[in-house]
Amino acid sequence: MAKVSYGLVEPELPKGEYGPKMKALPNDRWRVFVLVLMQQGRRDQTAAYRAAGFSTKSENAARVEAHKMAHDPRVLDALHEEAGKVLRNLVPMALHVIEGIVGGDDAKNADKLTGIKMVFDRAGLHGVAE
C-alpha cells in the first residue's frame, strides 16, 4: 500500500521489477527517493528526500543532503534506468502520432517530410550524403 508523504505518494514497487541500477542502490529509501523524483512534475530533491524517510535536522541540511544524493552517480544511473522504462512505454503512443502525421491529410507537407525522414532514419534507411 502506498503512503502519502509531504504531498507526494511514496511509490512501492516489487523488488522483482527493479532493474540492475535500482537494485544497486544502498537501500529501499534510496529507491523511493529515485521513484519520487520520477513521479514529480518538477524536480524537488528536498521533498523527495523527506518522502523517502530520511531524517533532517534542518531545512538547509535536508537541502544539502538531497542535492548530494540527487547527484550521486548511482542515483543518476537509477534515474536513467527508470526514465528508460517510461520512454519505452510511450513507444506505441508515439508511433500512433507519427502515423497520423505521415498519413494524415491535415498535416502540412513539411511536417509529413519531417516525419517520413524520422521514420526512415530509425528504420535504417538513411539518406546518402556525398
Side-chain angles (χ1 to χ4, degrees), residues 23-125:
K23 287 179 182 175
L25 292 174
N27 57 49
D28 283 340
R29 286 191 296 175
W30 283 61
R31 285 181 269 283
V32 170
F33 178 76
V34 168
L35 295 173
V36 171
L37 283 177
M38 289 295 300
Q39 102 179 33
Q40 294 175 343
R42 61 181 174 78
R43 196 161 175 177
D44 186 342
Q45 298 163 347
T46 307
Y49 185 80
R50 285 195 196 104
F54 289 99
S55 62
T56 56
K57 295 177 181 160
S58 71
E59 181 65 23
N60 191 50
R63 224 178 2 260
V64 168
E65 290 304 313
H67 177 82
K68 279 194 233 175
M69 196 168 170
H71 291 84
D72 184 291
R74 297 168 295 180
V75 169
L76 293 172
D77 286 345
L79 283 166
H80 188 266
E81 180 177 76
E82 290 299 308
K85 288 181 187 178
V86 173
L87 289 173
R88 284 190 301 276
N89 282 327
L90 291 174
V91 167
M93 186 188 318
L95 288 173
H96 181 72
V97 169
I98 196 67
E99 280 178 343
I101 292 169
V102 171
D105 293 331
D106 297 339
K108 297 176 192 171
N109 285 337
D111 293 337
K112 286 184 179 187
L113 288 172
T114 300
I116 290 166
K117 181 181 182 319
M118 204 170 76
V119 169
F120 281 5
D121 283 347
R122 280 146 185 86
L125 302 170

